[in-house]
């Protein structure tokens, strides 16, 4: 088979690339490969209180048409300067042009365009955090609820369906230069097939965290090590996070600990009007033996049950005391498999801060929480032992410095004593596992017709940021 362009991955980056190509060159031959399922077939058993099974080898949370956008959850569309590394990569003017384009495309299927500038942190709020030595990073954010996200996904499918060839459950496994193009090997439900193409776009997201890096190394592409961060999610009664979550839906605060070197930051803050849920991302065997990590999703339409809703936020620090990036990843995952078998586990805040065992099993801990935990497929364990002494010190100091400001803003007592048996510490959270290939302004690697976009590029994460890179690659190919 022959086609002009092969795009591996139908998440925000791959979809935006396909749209850029078909918008500028109607009739261009585009083959869109997606390792996961169609957008209507991505249920997650964890969302229904069941055990994570890996969904037959393809995690529905991170794979399938839409990528990070899928039925049942809301998302946040965070604009520049969120993802500020893209400003460095593209230059300020070009980056903001791509950001506007990505946001317009992503929200085009909606009946009314959301206003990402509507919610702003008041001067009083900013000042109150500064008094604790904390500076809030501000940028525009649009919160998209479950029904609106459904419209977006369906709108993208309807628009691209007639203009590209889409293969579900089809995964790129190799690519080799052939003349001025490439021969791609694709695994489908019927076996292996080859496709000759002039351009290959790698938009493989989290599923391709290691396979894409392996492919790029085989092609001789220069790669830089990632800046790995490790951490946890703190889950609690949504009321505690609601006030600041309403002002800044994607609250980002970075702290530098005493050495000034180990950065601690909030990540994927899920604490607005309806709180948020913790999600599982099953990496299958991408990282060696199977492991599951965490993600956080905004929720807008989740019904309230007999207990208050949960909200959560991630807290990450840079991996320390673990050697090189490769050694750090292996060290962390080895500890995770030893402590919890590679499956998410939990500790009460009291046990986490005192570095002790919880005396009770998860079912008992879950039942006495003053809120409804968002997932049930957990086990209690020594989350504190997952981290080096430096990492643990950074995470605990970061939480103890951050939480009083959040509580003060919500009008609640700022002493942490009241939180010790009312907050869950869930692990693990990981960020920036991706090696960073050398890319030009069109996201193309040196000397090959290969573009790398979205998470796979290792530069920035986020739905808008992935779409920015996909649009840049598509425009570079057509122009």
């Amino acid at each position: 088979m022959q086609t002009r362009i092969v795009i591996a991955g139908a998440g925000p980056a791959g979809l935006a690339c396909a749209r850029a190509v078909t918008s500028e060159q109607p009739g261009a031959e585009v083959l869109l490969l997606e390792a996961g399922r169609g957008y209507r077939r991505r249920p997650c058993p964890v969302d229904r209180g069941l055990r994570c099974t890996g969904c037959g080898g393809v995690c529905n949370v991170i794979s399938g048409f839409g990528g990070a956008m899928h039925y049942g959850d809301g998302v946040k569309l965070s604009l520049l300067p969120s993802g500020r590394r893209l400003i460095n990569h593209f230059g300020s003017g070009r980056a903001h042009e791509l950001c506007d384009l990505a946001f317009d495309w992503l929200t085009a299927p909606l009946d009314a365009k959301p206003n990402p500038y509507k919610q702003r942190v008041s001067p009083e709020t900013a000042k109150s955090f500064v008094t604790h030595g904390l500076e809030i990073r501000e940028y525009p954010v649009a919160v998209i609820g479950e029904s609106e996200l459904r419209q977006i996904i369906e709108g993208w499918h309807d628009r691209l369906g007639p203009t590209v060839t889409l293969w579900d459950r089809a995964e790129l496994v190799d690519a080799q230069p052939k003349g001025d193009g490439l021969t791609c090997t694709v695994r489908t439900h019927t076996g292996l097939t080859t496709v000759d193409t002039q351009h290959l776009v790698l938009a493989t997201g989290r599923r391709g965290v290691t396979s894409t890096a392996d492919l790029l190394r085989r092609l001789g592409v220069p790669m830089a090590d990632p800046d790995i961060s490790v951490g946890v999610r703190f889950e609690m009664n949504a009321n505690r996070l609601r006030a600041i979550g309403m002002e800044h839906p994607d609250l980002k605060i970075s702290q530098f600990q005493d050495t000034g070197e180990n950065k601690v930051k909030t990540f994927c803050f899920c604490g607005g009007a309806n709180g948020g849920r913790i999600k599982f991302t099953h990496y299958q065997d991408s990282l060696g033996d199977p492991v599951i990590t965490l993600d956080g999703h905004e929720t807008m339409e989740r019904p309230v049950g007999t207990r208050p809703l949960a909200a959560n936020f991630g807290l990450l620090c840079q991996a320390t005391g673990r050697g090189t990036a490769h050694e750090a990843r292996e060290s962390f995952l080895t500890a995770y498999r030893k402590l919890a078998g590679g499956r998410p586990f939990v500790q009460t805040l009291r046990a986490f801060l005192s570095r002790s065992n919880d005396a009770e099993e998860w079912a008992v801990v879950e039942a006495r929480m003053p809120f409804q935990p968002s997932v049930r497929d957990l086990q209690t364990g020594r989350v504190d032992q997952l981290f080096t002494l430096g990492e643990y010190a950074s995470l605990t100091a970061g939480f103890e410095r951050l939480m009083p400001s959040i509580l003060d803003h919500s009008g609640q007592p700022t002493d942490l004593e009241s939180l010790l048996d009312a907050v869950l510490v869930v692990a693990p959270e990981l960020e920036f596992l991706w090696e960073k290939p050398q890319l030009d302004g069109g996201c193309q690697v040196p000397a090959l017709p290969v573009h790398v976009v979205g998470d796979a590029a290792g530069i920035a994460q986020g739905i808008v940021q992935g779409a920015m890179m996909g649009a840049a690659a598509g425009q570079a190919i057509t122009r």
Side-chain angles (χ1 to χ4, degrees):
M1 176 179 172
Q2 291 186 335
T3 189
R4 181 163 181 243
I5 302 162
V6 171
I7 301 172
L15 295 177
C17 183
R19 177 159 181 171
V21 169
T22 56
S23 295
E24 300 209 4
Q25 289 188 354
E29 292 182 332
V30 178
L31 174 61
L32 184 57
L33 305 175
E34 175 48 56
R37 301 168 178 86
Y39 67 96
R40 296 181 186 274
R41 301 179 57 242
R42 297 182 58 187
C44 175
V46 176
D47 289 349
R48 305 195 302 275
L50 304 176
R51 183 175 174 82
C52 176
T53 62
C55 292
V58 183
C59 175
N60 281 333
V61 171
I62 59 174
S63 298
F65 185 93
M69 304 184 298
H70 54 83
Y71 282 3
D73 285 315
V75 296
K76 284 173 285 194
L77 304 181
S78 300
L79 280 62
L80 294 177
S82 177
R84 63 187 182 279
R85 294 184 188 186
L86 294 183
I87 297 176
N88 298 332
H89 183 76
F90 292 117
S92 180
R94 175 63 170 153
H96 282 88
E97 173 189 301
L98 289 167
C99 185
D100 290 343
L101 179 65
F103 185 74
D104 286 345
W105 283 0
L106 286 164
T107 57
L110 298 178
D111 298 329
K113 189 180 185 68
N115 178 9
Y117 301 91
K118 179 175 62 176
Q119 291 150 304
R120 304 288 294 179
V121 174
S122 70
E124 293 76 19
T125 298
K127 184 177 180 180
S128 72
F129 275 74
V130 167
T131 61
H132 289 88
L134 303 171
E135 184 176 356
I136 297 173
R137 287 173 48 201
E138 285 205 70
Y139 45 84
V141 183
V143 179
I144 306 297
E146 292 91 319
S147 297
E148 289 182 316
L149 185 58
R150 188 182 186 102
Q151 283 183 264
I152 288 175
I153 296 167
E154 292 174 352
W156 275 88
H157 192 271
D158 291 347
R159 179 181 177 88
L160 290 177
T163 62
V164 305
T165 300
L166 173 63
W167 288 1
D168 288 332
R169 300 301 301 269
E171 187 165 15
L172 179 75
V173 295
D174 195 20
Q176 294 297 325
K178 181 180 180 181
D180 293 333
L182 300 140
T183 295
C184 298
T185 303
V186 181
R187 181 186 294 113
T188 71
H189 68 282
T190 59
L192 295 178
T193 187
T194 58
V195 181
D196 291 334
T197 187
Q198 297 172 33
H199 303 275
L200 172 62
V201 180
L202 299 173
T204 48
R206 282 172 283 184
R207 179 173 174 82
V209 62
T210 53
S211 60
T212 297
D214 290 344
L215 171 59
L216 291 171
R217 278 194 293 270
R218 290 197 300 272
L219 292 172
V221 176
M223 309 276 282
D225 285 341
D227 303 315
I228 294 177
S229 293
V230 298
V232 296
R233 284 202 166 267
F234 294 94
E235 185 167 67
M236 63 197 73
N237 188 314
N239 287 335
R240 300 186 190 275
L241 304 183
R242 183 169 291 123
I244 189 61
M246 293 296 291
E247 283 196 50
H248 194 326
D250 195 26
L251 180 69
K252 288 276 175 61
I253 295 176
S254 295
Q255 309 173 43
F256 288 89
Q257 301 307 314
D258 295 336
T259 62
E261 296 177 355
N262 195 14
K263 183 170 74 171
V264 180
K265 66 177 182 178
T266 58
F267 181 72
C268 198
F269 192 91
C270 303
N274 195 249
R277 65 158 55 108
I278 290 176
K279 304 283 290 185
F280 284 7
T281 57
H282 201 308
Y283 279 89
Q284 312 297 342
D285 57 358
S286 296
L287 301 171
D289 293 334
V291 295
I292 305 169
T293 67
L294 304 180
D295 197 5
H297 274 245
E298 194 83 3
T299 56
M300 298 294 287
E301 301 165 20
R302 191 172 41 152
V304 179
T306 57
R307 286 189 281 175
L309 293 172
N312 70 86
F313 65 88
L315 200 63
L316 291 164
C317 70
Q318 292 167 303
T320 58
R322 297 181 184 271
T324 66
H326 176 76
E327 290 169 342
R329 188 178 76 186
E330 292 308 306
S331 167
F332 187 85
L333 292 177
T334 296
Y336 178 35
R337 293 184 181 109
K338 180 180 179 181
L339 289 166
R343 300 186 69 88
F345 63 135
V346 64
Q347 199 172 17
T348 61
L349 182 61
R350 180 184 295 278
F352 182 71
L353 294 179
S354 64
R355 306 208 77 173
S356 61
N357 279 312
D358 279 300
E360 300 161 322
E361 296 295 323
W362 166 238
V364 179
V365 173
E366 190 272 346
R368 65 175 172 81
M369 283 293 116
F371 63 91
Q372 178 61 61
S374 61
V375 294
R376 298 179 182 175
D377 184 15
L378 293 170
Q379 56 188 311
T380 54
R382 292 292 299 276
V383 172
D384 63 284
Q385 293 189 350
L386 186 57
F387 305 99
T388 65
L389 291 177
E391 294 162 354
Y392 174 79
S394 294
L395 292 171
T396 52
F399 178 81
E400 290 170 351
R401 185 181 295 171
L402 170 67
M403 204 61 207
S405 289
I406 292 176
L407 293 172
D408 183 52
H409 186 61
S410 68
Q412 301 189 36
T414 59
D415 67 290
L416 296 182
E417 182 67 29
S418 63
L419 300 181
L420 294 178
D421 297 309
V423 172
L424 297 173
V425 185
V426 192
E429 182 81 53
L430 288 169
E431 187 191 33
F432 285 122
L433 298 174
W434 298 267
E435 295 178 66
K436 295 174 282 189
Q438 183 177 326
L439 302 175
D440 66 12
C443 303
Q444 184 174 351
V445 305
L448 286 170
V450 177
H451 301 253
V452 188
V453 296
D455 282 355
I459 300 175
Q461 293 177 267
I463 291 172
V464 173
Q465 290 67 31
M468 287 170 61
M469 297 190 76
Q475 291 175 351
I477 289 170
T478 56
R479 294 175 183 178

